Amino acid sequence: MATRSRPSVFEVPKAENYEASRLQSESNFPLGYLGALTKDALHSSLTWIQSERGKLLKEATRHGAVLFRSFGLQGAQDFDALIGALGIENFPYKKSLSNAVRVNFTERVFSANEAPSSVKIYLHHEMAQTPFYPTWILFFCEQAAEQGGATPICRSDILYESLYQEHEDFLQELEAKGLKYTNVMPDSDDPHSGMGRSWQSTLGVETKDEAEARLKELDYSWLWQQDSCLRCTTPLLPAVRTLRDGRKTLFNQLIAAYAGWSDDRNDPSKAIRLGDNSKLNAEAVNRMIELAYESSFDMEWQNGDAVLIDNTVVMHGRRPFEGKRRVLASLGDMQSHWQGLKN
């Protein structure tokens, strides 16, 4: 078997029904690198990543995602070292306003989502439904599921172009009006829900008074429930984002909120509205969901895989699975939709 002294680009296998025609000809989604076949594969891989990190970050933005396969990664500490080699500034999960329950393994590595294996996590841009969001998301597969468990990823710039051909008015309305999101947070973590993070953990507070002060600071509206759960609504947030190169992306949580924000406390029909509080065009939203999954690439994990995603370009989700599955995650480079918000 031939040896590789340094990582090299490879063609990531695609499913037969994958609609590659939806992608721009100059793009390779996802771009894949195979690690070096050396005795010290991990060390040489990390050294190479550190030397190429500027190029790799640019490739993630251009292509949407970069897959690292056979890089010698075996656990959370190795994954943490890969993130360090990329030079990405950590966005600690505890500082986020994400809905999901997660468990930290290092300061910047945590479980991808603690929701039960039967729960489908719909496509979304990480934390696009909050004032603060990460530029980068990284995933690492420590143990692939026995069956299922793929991570679908979707280019939102391609989705925008596809939907524009059929529902131009809807996209113009999204861009002009933005979106507001409503969810009910439990009084304590609910590991049975994909959005079961408590209001104490989400807001970084201990008391109701502290929660209200934090929500006021964030310009949220809220209502306490009889069971001490907290119903809150975000301020108006952008639904369409223009990238530096001029591409437009559907940077939002529309699909996940509209189709997936469902548990004992939450009803998807009440989870999302346009910025003027009017309802969304159901036909256009359903077509958006269809197009998104038609053009998604299913990341079929292999043990040791890691992937770097530009969160402003690519949505991700999770397929249901059987057996044990352990995928870790990390966030990088915290941004806010507006300057002046406190973090």
Side-chain angles (χ1 to χ4, degrees), residues 65-299:
V66 177
L67 169 66
F68 303 100
R69 177 161 288 172
S70 301
F71 271 59
L73 305 173
Q74 296 185 8
Q77 295 295 334
D78 293 346
F79 180 41
D80 189 287
L82 179 145
I83 301 164
L86 283 166
I88 295 175
E89 182 179 355
N90 185 35
F91 178 175
Y93 187 70
K94 62 184 178 182
K95 287 191 175 183
S96 78
L97 296 169
S98 172
N99 303 331
V101 177
R102 306 180 194 264
V103 177
N104 269 85
F105 298 101
T106 74
E107 188 63 27
R108 53 188 169 191
V109 173
F110 47 84
S111 55
N113 196 303
E114 292 293 297
S117 61
S118 60
V119 173
K120 175 181 178 179
I121 299 175
Y122 285 83
L123 289 166
H124 61 283
H125 286 280
E126 192 69 21
M127 301 177 200
Q129 84 284 17
T130 79
F132 308 107
Y133 61 90
T135 302
W136 309 106
I137 308 175
L138 299 101
F139 293 110
F140 166 66
C141 179
E142 192 170 55
Q143 182 173 346
E146 294 176 10
Q147 185 174 343
T151 295
I153 53 177
C154 171
R155 284 269 300 270
S156 279
D157 57 335
I158 303 299
L159 177 60
Y160 181 95
E161 293 175 3
S162 298
L163 191 61
Y164 189 88
Q165 303 303 316
E166 302 180 32
H167 291 284
E168 179 182 351
D169 290 346
F170 175 64
L171 288 177
Q172 291 176 344
E173 188 174 43
L174 282 180
E175 189 164 8
K177 296 182 178 180
L179 293 167
K180 292 181 180 179
Y181 305 85
T182 298
N183 77 296
V184 180
M185 294 180 280
D187 186 41
S188 58
D189 283 350
D190 177 6
H192 301 293
S193 169
M195 48 187 303
R197 192 180 183 194
S198 70
W199 55 263
Q200 296 95 329
S201 176
T202 302
L203 299 173
V205 300
E206 295 182 359
T207 69
K208 289 185 177 181
D209 286 344
E210 290 173 342
E212 292 183 6
R214 179 62 169 151
L215 290 169
K216 186 178 296 185
E217 182 182 51
L218 295 168
D219 199 25
Y220 279 51
S221 58
W222 68 89
L223 181 66
W224 291 102
Q225 310 294 292
Q226 291 184 349
D227 56 3
S228 291
C229 292
L230 177 60
R231 181 181 186 273
C232 61
T233 299
T234 70
L236 186 153
L237 296 172
V240 176
R241 180 184 179 91
T242 302
L243 304 178
R244 290 182 178 179
D245 60 9
R247 284 180 290 166
K248 288 191 174 183
T249 69
L250 281 159
F251 185 70
N252 53 59
Q253 277 268 19
L254 198 162
I255 293 176
Y258 189 89
W261 281 14
S262 177
D263 59 18
D264 293 340
R265 296 167 299 278
N266 290 278
D267 179 353
S269 68
K270 301 176 181 178
I272 188 168
R273 291 286 188 273
L274 290 166
D276 61 0
N277 295 315
S278 60
K279 292 185 178 181
L280 286 81
N281 180 330
E283 179 185 353
V285 172
N286 287 324
R287 184 57 179 149
M288 174 181 168
I289 295 172
E290 290 176 353
L291 289 170
Y293 278 100
E294 285 175 6
S295 60
S296 290
F297 170 76
D298 268 8
M299 184 68 69

